Amino acid sequence: MTEQLRLLGMGMAVPDKVMANEDFEKIVDTSDAWIRERTGIRERRFIGEGSLTELAAEASRKAIARAGIAPEEIGLVICATATPERAVPATACMLQKKLRIPAGTPAFDINAACTGFIYAMAAAQAMLPAIRGKYALLIGAEEVSKILDMADRGTCVLFGDGAGAAVAGVTGKPGTRVRIFADGDEEALSCGGYGGEDRHLRMDGRKVFRFAVSRLEGEIRALEEETGIPVSGIDYVICHQANARILDHVRRKFGLPEEKLYVNLDRYGNTSAASIPIALAEMAERRMLAPGKRAFAVGFGAGLTWGSCYLEF
Ligand code: COA
């Protein structure tokens, strides 16, 4: 049986620079109405000045403060990012000194695209000996804006930059595992990505849409089975924020009332690995995550990758 991780404090940070849908009307052949109707996004943030590592540090400081712990008590740092400021050293290492986390503490990055934060949770759960008596700092941080092709209207309007962080502790209680999966077959690889000869993000929106809907559904059902709690008995379902129509599908499929499915993509767009921890941090800020509250968190992304976990606050 696995031990349950508990998220004790959350924080988020987004850049000041707001990119509204109207700003894209000047760049590509699109409209505020199209973007709103087809995606649910109204605006997103882009890092103009400043750096991703600074943003991740700000989110982390808030998470550490809200958890009420000292940086010295952190025994593991994992940063999920597909768009690090530098490939090497890892963002997690660059954060270590900034946050006064003691030298010697293991710190590394994970790239599982938009599922990154769930992967970070799974890695922390698998590394419990490193955090027993201490805490893990888990971060999702992305600067997707720097890989966007601002001439491709099918992708450039969808994404935003941001960072979310959580301090996790070990409860000592038996719990369910964090579920993580990937499928790198040719069909899956053709859904999207960036790097290699093409420095820009490319995506087959329709394929990803179908994949997202089926995985979200599958993961919610799997969590129901693993936890023995029907989704109707869960307080919140926190999905990766990619498209409001994907979220609507999930809401209808499971008959979820609006307040159970958290949505903030209208303000941030798709922030990839940062989207779930940003949602968690906002929910905590709004006092939605009181002790005893229970949530399913579900992510999906390029790779293809997907995963989910049960959270108890
Ligand atoms: N403004 C105006 N028109 C646009 C547009 C934009 N920003 N982007 C695409 N279009 C056009 C297309 O060119 C297409 O035109 P055509 O019919 O003349 O070829 C038309 O809109 C319909 O395109 P389609 O791809 O069918 O639209 P859609 O309803 O599937 O929406 C996405 C496109 C990208 C919004 C949608 O597929 C999506 O969100 N997919 C999932 C993406 C995702 O979640 N990615 C992240 C994974 S972690």
Side-chain angles (χ1 to χ4, degrees):
M1 191 51 132
T2 323
E3 265 183 88
Q4 190 80 40
L5 282 178
R6 177 165 288 162
L7 300 184
L8 301 166
M10 271 72 76
M12 63 163 284
V14 289
D16 294 333
K17 185 178 173 190
V18 177
M19 290 287 287
N21 289 348
E22 289 79 4
D23 294 318
F24 287 86
E25 292 177 351
K26 298 170 205 140
I27 305 170
V28 283
D29 181 13
T30 190
S31 66
D32 172 45
W34 192 95
I35 302 171
R36 260 188 226 229
E37 274 163 31
R38 307 308 292 165
T39 73
I41 300 166
R42 279 189 294 118
E43 60 184 43
R44 70 292 286 144
R45 305 295 183 98
F46 278 7
I47 294 178
E49 316 265 294
S51 75
L52 181 66
T53 310
E54 268 312 323
L55 217 55
E58 191 186 330
S60 301
R61 282 190 200 101
K62 289 180 187 164
I64 293 168
R66 285 180 191 148
I69 64 155
E72 293 74 25
E73 295 178 272
I74 291 171
L76 176 67
V77 186
I78 307 176
C79 182
T81 179
T83 53
E85 193 177 327
R86 299 179 63 184
V88 182
T91 313
C93 298
M94 288 163 67
L95 288 173
Q96 206 162 352
K97 181 103 192 274
K98 275 184 193 295
L99 299 173
R100 292 185 297 107
I101 293 167
T105 307
F108 60 92
D109 286 3
I110 279 183
N111 172 4
C114 302
T115 321
F117 190 76
I118 303 285
Y119 267 68
M121 292 273 303
Q125 195 175 51
M127 294 178 71
L128 282 182
I131 46 174
R132 201 174 297 284
K134 293 186 180 173
Y135 302 93
L137 174 63
L138 310 176
I139 305 142
E142 302 279 15
E143 186 177 0
V144 190
S145 62
K146 72 177 179 186
I147 56 164
L148 292 177
D149 177 353
M150 293 304 275
D152 176 7
R153 66 179 182 172
T155 54
C156 72
V157 301
L158 303 177
F159 297 89
D161 302 337
V167 168
V170 187
T171 58
K173 271 176 44 181
T176 52
R177 72 196 166 109
V178 179
R179 300 167 46 82
I180 49 170
F181 308 93
D183 177 357
D185 76 6
E186 233 159 83
E187 175 70 7
L189 294 178
S190 71
C191 282
Y194 86 97
E197 273 166 31
D198 190 350
R199 304 307 301 165
H200 289 127
L201 176 72
R202 303 288 171 210
M203 187 187 71
D204 184 329
R206 282 183 209 184
K207 268 194 206 167
V208 177
F209 198 101
R210 283 196 298 271
F211 158 76
V213 164
S214 79
R215 293 304 177 207
L216 287 176
E217 237 182 271
E219 284 309 298
I220 291 171
R221 296 216 189 283
L223 285 173
E224 286 184 312
E225 200 164 304
E226 286 202 14
T227 59
I229 310 169
V231 72
S232 56
I234 285 288
D235 295 297
Y236 305 110
V237 178
I238 307 162
C239 294
H240 170 51
Q241 308 279 310
N243 185 315
R245 287 188 292 136
I246 295 175
L247 299 179
D248 281 344
H249 178 92
V250 171
R251 187 166 22 231
R252 278 198 306 273
K253 186 86 197 174
F254 292 96
L256 299 175
E258 282 211 355
E259 63 276 10
K260 267 201 185 186
L261 193 80
Y262 194 73
V263 180
N264 64 7
L265 69 91
D266 52 323
R267 286 172 288 128
Y268 306 127
N270 178 347
T271 56
S272 186
S275 98
I276 289 176
I278 287 178
L280 284 165
E282 279 196 342
M283 292 172 77
E285 182 96 332
R286 294 175 183 194
R287 306 199 183 286
M288 293 165 74
L289 306 179
K293 291 284 182 195
R294 307 186 293 186
F296 288 167
V298 194
F300 58 89
L304 294 166
T305 55
W306 66 99
S308 64
C309 64
Y310 168 65
L311 299 168
E312 208 174 290
F313 295 91

